[in-house]
Amino acid sequence: MFKVSRKSEYALIAVQHLARATPDRVVSVAELASQTQVPTEVLAKVLQGLKRAGIVRALKGAGGGYGLARPPSEIRFLDVVQLFEDRLAVVSCQMPSVECERSDTCTLR
């Protein structure tokens, strides 16, 4: 089983929530935190990472908040998760210091 970090989980929740909002609407961090039950401080950091990656857009000032920077259909699970994971591995031999008896012939690594 593959389990992502809490930050990745929160990022996925935020993106999913923003995808359900009206396309032109922005949602404040406080509102998003309240609706998703994600801690405000962590959510703010997660949203900044998503903004740097071009997944969300931010509108500053009164009435500001966050919205998706592109259509939901153009945002992949991996686009979000790879921002918050140190290392993703599809198979165990991709992890550091793991040896496999098939490493000489395996093309997955």
Side-chain angles (χ1 to χ4, degrees):
M1 178 169 81
F2 175 73
K3 184 163 177 15
V4 297
S5 68
R6 187 65 53 114
K7 281 188 177 180
S8 289
E9 180 181 345
Y10 290 162
L12 290 166
I13 290 168
V15 169
Q16 181 182 35
H17 186 80
L18 293 173
R20 292 180 180 154
T22 306
D24 294 334
R25 183 170 181 264
V26 293
V27 180
S28 72
V29 175
E31 180 183 352
L32 190 58
S34 173
Q35 292 175 352
T36 60
Q37 300 176 5
V38 173
T40 306
E41 303 79 28
V42 178
L43 184 60
K45 290 178 184 176
V46 165
L47 288 167
Q48 284 300 310
L50 292 168
K51 181 180 176 255
R52 282 190 299 277
I55 295 172
V56 301
R57 60 187 169 81
L59 181 63
K60 293 183 180 184
Y66 290 88
L68 292 183
R70 53 189 196 234
S73 62
E74 294 179 14
I75 301 171
R76 299 176 309 144
F77 174 87
L78 187 60
D79 294 335
V80 176
V81 172
Q82 71 184 5
L83 298 172
F84 303 100
E85 301 301 322
D86 291 333
R87 183 168 172 92
L88 293 173
V90 177
V91 291
S92 61
C93 64
Q94 289 181 314
M95 298 303 289
S97 68
V98 172
E99 290 298 321
C100 174
E101 65 273 0
R102 292 184 292 260
S103 62
D104 293 338
T105 58
C106 181
T107 57
L108 289 176
R109 187 171 193 163

